[in-house]
């Protein structure tokens, strides 16, 4: 009998806090990240979105509480990937960047060229594989970073404000990739400062403020009628203080 593939979903945060010296970055958060459409984190700058992504990825440990992946507290990150807001490009071609990621993921040498072409096409960079990665535009570099992250065929993809500082055309390209990735069954958990983007992409919305989750639930319900005063103020464009 074939064994079912191990899953890292749901990711469960139980009474989690993260502190750095005397500063509380995340404050007593309980949250379940399950399969399905993208989960989008929104909230003011400094509210803890990036820290929450890093925690759920497994890059940092909670000061208090615990995080489990598919019911396991000490799960490796083989099936998780993250793209930071300002990804670092390796000093090689776009294709070389992806080939490096495929090698690190253990993809056999004979399969790498085909996978490179597939990933370049997925992120709209077909024909640019020869181009030095550091000579690509900001939007193209962000798409290349997505291709590198997808090289390991993750179950869960974390994106930290992937369209920050991009123009509308580049933003649209990234959003189309996020939709395509989600359609493949990959769980996307991302942060954004753009409420329009959150409306367009999220299946579930998490509003954060001062290191806490203020409100979370289905995106359509949240944007139609937030349950909290903070939610109503935030989607109305008012400052949360």
């Amino acid at each position: 009998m074939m064994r079912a593939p191990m899953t890292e979903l749901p990711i469960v945060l139980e009474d989690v806090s993260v502190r750095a010296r005397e500063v509380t970055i995340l404050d007593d958060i309980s949250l379940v990240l399950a399969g399905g459409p993208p989960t989008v984190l929104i909230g003011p700058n400094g509210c803890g979105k990036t820290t929450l992504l890093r925690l759920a990825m497994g890059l940092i440990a909670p000061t208090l509480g615990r995080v489990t992946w598919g019911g396991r507290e000490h799960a490796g990150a083989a099936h998780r990937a993250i793209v930071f807001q300002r990804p670092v490009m390796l000093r090689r071609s776009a294709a070389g960047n992806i080939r490096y990621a495929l090698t690190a993921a253990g993809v056999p040498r004979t399969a790498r060229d085909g996978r490179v072409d597939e990933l370049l096409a997925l992120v709209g960079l077909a024909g640019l594989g020869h181009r030095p990665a550091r000579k690509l535009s900001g939007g193209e570099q962000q798409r290349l970073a997505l291709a590198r992250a997808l090289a390991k065929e993750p179950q869960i993809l974390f994106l930290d404000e992937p369209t920050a500082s991009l123009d509308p055309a580049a933003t649209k390209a990234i959003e189309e990739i996020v939709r395509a990735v989600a359609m493949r069954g990959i769980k996307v958990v991302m942060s954004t400062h753009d409420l329009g983007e959150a409306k367009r992409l999220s299946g579930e919305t998490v509003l954060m403020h001062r290191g806490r989750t203020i409100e979370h639930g289905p995106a359509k319900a949240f944007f139609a009628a937030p349950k909290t005063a903070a939610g109503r103020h935030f989607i109305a464009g008012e400052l949360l203080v």
Side-chain angles (χ1 to χ4, degrees), residues 57-138:
M57 175 66 191
L59 297 178
I60 60 174
T63 307
L64 297 171
R66 73 175 193 147
V67 183
T68 58
W69 294 268
R72 302 181 308 282
E73 194 166 352
H74 302 288
H79 301 294
R80 282 169 259 145
I82 189 167
V83 177
F84 295 108
Q85 186 173 333
R86 295 178 180 83
V88 176
M89 297 289 105
L90 301 177
R91 291 182 180 275
R92 55 190 73 187
S93 67
N97 269 260
I98 297 175
R99 193 170 288 108
Y100 179 89
L102 291 168
T103 302
V107 175
R109 182 186 297 272
T110 54
R112 289 175 201 162
D113 286 346
R115 287 283 288 138
V116 166
D117 292 341
E118 177 189 340
L119 288 165
L120 285 171
L122 175 63
V123 299
L125 295 178
L128 297 181
H130 66 284
R131 189 85 60 84
R134 296 189 177 189
K135 298 292 186 181
L136 297 175
S137 69

Side-chain angles (χ1 to χ4, degrees), residues 25-225:
I25 303 171
L26 296 180
D27 188 8
D28 195 25
I29 286 179
S30 292
L31 182 67
V32 177
L33 299 171
T39 296
V40 179
L41 311 180
I42 60 174
N45 288 339
C47 68
K49 299 187 296 292
T50 297
T51 301
L52 181 55
L53 291 176
R54 290 169 60 86
L55 182 72
M57 175 66 191
L59 297 178
I60 60 174
T63 307
L64 297 171
R66 73 175 193 147
V67 183
T68 58
W69 294 268
R72 302 181 308 282
E73 194 166 352
H74 302 288
H79 301 294
R80 282 169 259 145
I82 189 167
V83 177
F84 295 108
Q85 186 173 333
R86 295 178 180 83
V88 176
M89 297 289 105
L90 301 177
R91 291 182 180 275
R92 55 190 73 187
S93 67
N97 269 260
I98 297 175
R99 193 170 288 108
Y100 179 89
L102 291 168
T103 302
V107 175
R109 182 186 297 272
T110 54
R112 289 175 201 162
D113 286 346
R115 287 283 288 138
V116 166
D117 292 341
E118 177 189 340
L119 288 165
L120 285 171
L122 175 63
V123 299
L125 295 178
L128 297 181
H130 66 284
R131 189 85 60 84
R134 296 189 177 189
K135 298 292 186 181
L136 297 175
S137 69
E140 289 167 344
Q141 288 188 2
Q142 195 71 11
R143 283 186 273 158
L144 180 57
L146 279 165
R148 289 190 314 200
L150 293 168
K152 65 190 298 188
E153 298 187 339
Q155 294 175 0
I156 309 150
L157 178 63
F158 297 97
L159 305 175
D160 186 12
E161 301 214 10
T163 62
S165 304
L166 298 184
D167 62 32
T171 294
K172 185 174 185 292
I174 294 293
E175 290 185 4
E176 288 174 350
I177 295 166
V178 171
R179 290 190 190 95
V181 167
M183 287 292 291
R184 292 183 171 208
I186 297 171
K187 175 64 180 184
V188 176
V189 183
M190 62 177 282
S191 63
T192 183
H193 64 283
D194 184 338
L195 281 178
E197 182 169 79
K199 289 179 183 179
R200 291 188 293 271
L201 294 179
S202 62
E204 176 187 41
T205 303
V206 180
L207 172 62
M208 299 184 65
H209 182 44
R210 293 185 174 180
R212 290 178 173 267
T213 52
I214 302 300
E215 185 172 349
H216 71 272
K220 286 185 179 179
F222 172 78
F223 285 107

